[in-house]
Amino acid sequence: MTESLSGENQATGSPLALQLKSVSKSFGLVRANRDVDLSVEAGTIHGIIGENGAGKSTLMNILYGLHRADSGEMWIDGELTAIRSSADAIGHGIGMVHQHFMLVPNFSVIENVMLGSEGGSLLKEGRTATLKVLDDLGQNYGMTVDPEAIVSELSVGLQQRVEIIKALKGGARVLILDEPTGVLTPNEAQQLFEILKVLRDDGVTILLITHKLAEIMAITDAVSIMRNGEMVGHRKTRETNPQELAELMVGRQVLLNVDRGVANPAEPLLAVEDLSLTSSGGQELLKKMSFEVRAGEILGVAGVAGNGQSELLEILAGMQQATSGSIQVLGQTITAKDPKDPKSVRAMGVGHIPEDRHHHGLVLEFEAQENIVLGQHDGALAGQGKFLDNRAITAHCRTLMDTYDIRPTNPNLKAKNFSGGNQQKIVIAREMNANPKVLIVGQPTRGVDIGAIEFIHKQLIALRDAGCAILLVSVELDEIMGLSDRIMVMNAGKQVGILDREEANEQKLGLMMAGLSSDQAA
Amino acid sequence: MSAVTPPLPRWADVFLLPIINLSIALIICGVIIFAIGENPWTALIVMLKGAFVFPGSLGYTLYYTTNFIFTGLAVAVAFHAMMFNIGGEGQAYVGGLGAGLVAVFLAPSLPLLIALPLAIMMAALFGAFWGLVPGYLQAKRGSHIVITTIMFNFIAASLMVWLLSGPLMAPGQMSSQTVRIAESAEMAKIASLLGYVGFKVASSPLNLSFVLAIIALFVFWVLIWKTKLGYEIRAVGQNPEAAHYAGINVSRIIIITLAISGGIAGLMSVNEILGVQHKVILNFTAGFGFTGIAVSLMGRNHPIGIFLASLLFGALYQGGAELDFEFRTITREVVLLIQGLIILFCGALVHMLNPPMARLLARLIKPKELDHV
């Protein structure tokens, strides 16, 4: 399926800002990039799309000099170039904004921007120069940031802006953005796109790495698709469609939207009343939350990340204690005075798919089979009495690996060696297999590829139809709208309102996520 | 985001690296010995003979090995919970107090079948207590385990000086030590046991504690990999947040682990007090507790590795003593230097060669196709 682009470029005749010719890179035994060709026209936004582990980030790290390619050529502005370090890359006008920001949190914006170009032993000179750069960028591209603000106090969107400024300050003419919208609100993402368009019109070439099809369609001029370390296609964005891109990425047909069917909600299994949480620093993280989740329904929780959803999930799972309020779950009451630990909450029949599988859901250094009993290891599943029954655990793990299509089907492989999607499936298999009456789910498909998303969504719907009460927290609005029967919107630790799925649309939810009540949003 | 190091194959990590580290240490030792005018090769032969061949030497080597197994295991069990227990020295010391109290005061009126197990149990319990307190402070108060266990070594040392030169000091003499322990609390010498069944071997301090150490290795393996407690210990060590999510009481596991760790360290005193000294003396731990850290690191926190590392260090102690004895120019200090170099390369610098080795092996082994999962 690999296509050559060289003919196409000769046809259009636009100058190429960047060209890669059969670049290959291996890490130990893993070949992350195989004979990758890529041509990017100057002054365009070029998307690189692919599933997790397709080799997108490796390719960009080669471009930016963080990795050295084993073989292949790199041409920049028509010249054969060797990039051995990020300093080389910057020298050739390549700038990069990483997925995880490379900022010093306790430094101010200006201190971060001038880092690496302080200019002499006294800071004054570098400061003045940097201030001017900040000013210019603000005027030319509308990228204004308070130079004296401390980075850790800025919103994620503004922190990203600082990263972009850092890249542009070095005179970058090619800007690489690695999954830039993963941490942004829809609004912030929109602002970012506006800035990118201005930059493009100014002649900057932008490489946008993402696994979100909607972004590719919305903003790019051309797109290259990667799978298994290879380029499997190049398209002009206006000549393609999301379905075709998804199929190229996954290599087979995929359902972008799961059929939700009709919910038959019954009695409430989880009821939360006046739940509040105040941090030790006096910050109100949750304010008087009251809602219920009924058997056989999915209550989606929409909101920009960091508005109290994580705290809500942890309190419901027993990992944190609320300051006040009560939780009725399956007939038992949990209050601040009578807290329950995660073990007893689990014993009641509550399952928990945590937001962050690396921090909470899995012990990455453990084998798959050790992870498949995590939290259930003191039950009969893992063996009678005080000893582990490793043979039974292995058999159990194999069964779940078959049922939930976890690959590779090797119970002894460490969790860290599975792909993101399969890691998440391990967590989901474990929690769903316990037949929970109430399931608390956080970001079930974060960093999971399209094929696995489809599977996970189907499993959640199936569990709902089996009569489980599901609370679903996700920052992906599409996911909330695709799965939920009712949607609760959170802002600043408060519930803004609860909508039936039928009344909800993206705009209304977006306004509510910004804090407007449902009446105001209507 | 600097250059990514490929993973090191397990066989290289477990076998190849320790051998290379040991070789580097030996080569440097050889240079030093050459520099002071002796033949390094002859010295190596003397050391090996001194550790394994001369009459009684194997017994001495295994006697040292016993100490290292206990202190190495103690560090390893805590390490599985990602707790760095530096306090093996103090825990062994206080363990000796427990064993000594039973052996001196209770054992005279008790038969061997009760006195000996009781003394062993008290050694473990006293050591466990000395580990449990820092464990509690870490789990509940956030006091760093490295700091508290070091401090507890000093407390143990001062406590023992006071006891051995005060309340517990044997009357009618000038040494800071207790009276001799009752015979019913002594660990039998292996040489004399073999003598009963007709094997004549040279006498050595090697006693039944060695068997206890081998049992401890096995129990350790079962505990860590075959029990639910071991599972929880490893989960807490690898990812305390996931352990909390899974309903494991992280504080409780930390306290229990440190108690087990201290208990195993305490058993070292069984070898020294009940097996060899037959009284509680000052500083009988003699640094074995600290060397246990190197043993555990070199043994990769695995019983087989710890046994081999203990044997190496045991041979080094015994063979080193022989060097001092055989060569006029190789003094005690030079022997200490050699031991220190080996501890440095096999313990402290144990991971130094990991990255270059991993890169070298990755280059030697041909990449296979990326099998996608």
Side-chain angles (χ1 to χ4, degrees), chain A residues 30 34 352 370 377 383, chain B residues 228 231-232 234 245 369-370:
Chain A
V30 180
R34 260 183 292 189
H352 178 202
E370 291 177 300
H377 59 276
Chain B
K228 294 179 175 179
Y231 177 91
E232 297 195 342
R234 286 182 294 126
Y245 154 83
E369 292 299 298
L370 182 75

Side-chain angles (χ1 to χ4, degrees), chain A residues 471-484:
Chain A
L471 180 95
L472 168 72
V473 169
S474 175
V475 291
E476 303 284 351
L477 217 44
D478 293 343
E479 183 165 73
I480 294 285
M481 303 230 293
L483 293 178
S484 311

Side-chain angles (χ1 to χ4, degrees), chain A residues 222-261:
Chain A
V223 54
S224 299
I225 305 102
M226 291 190 81
R227 187 173 74 229
N228 284 4
E230 288 179 288
M231 278 291 172
V232 291
H234 304 279
R235 296 283 184 276
K236 294 266 177 234
T237 308
R238 59 173 185 279
E239 291 164 8
T240 185
N241 58 61
Q243 195 65 40
E244 185 194 19
L245 292 178
E247 281 170 31
L248 280 170
M249 275 166 70
V250 184
R252 63 178 170 85
Q253 288 224 320
V254 280
L255 268 174
L256 289 179
N257 281 307
V258 175
D259 182 16
R260 198 157 53 86

Side-chain angles (χ1 to χ4, degrees), chain A residues 18 20 65 67 92 128 133 196 271-272 310 376 390 435 450 474:
Chain A
L18 191 73
L20 297 179
H67 296 328
H92 283 99
T128 325
V133 173
L196 293 185
V272 170
S310 308
Q376 297 155 17
N390 283 325
N435 291 320
I450 292 188
S474 175

Side-chain angles (χ1 to χ4, degrees), chain A residues 431-470:
Chain A
E431 296 304 313
M432 288 193 175
N433 184 256
N435 291 320
K437 300 282 190 323
V438 173
L439 184 65
I440 300 159
V441 188
Q443 322 294 355
T445 57
R446 176 185 277 172
V448 169
D449 42 53
I450 292 188
I453 289 177
E454 179 191 352
F455 180 86
I456 290 168
H457 284 174
K458 278 185 181 161
Q459 294 294 328
L460 285 171
I461 297 288
L463 197 67
R464 176 200 73 176
D465 291 343
C468 181
I470 299 178

Side-chain angles (χ1 to χ4, degrees), chain B residues 307-318:
Chain B
F307 176 77
L308 292 176
S310 300
L311 191 63
L312 170 74
F313 282 107
L316 207 60
Y317 263 56
Q318 171 55 20

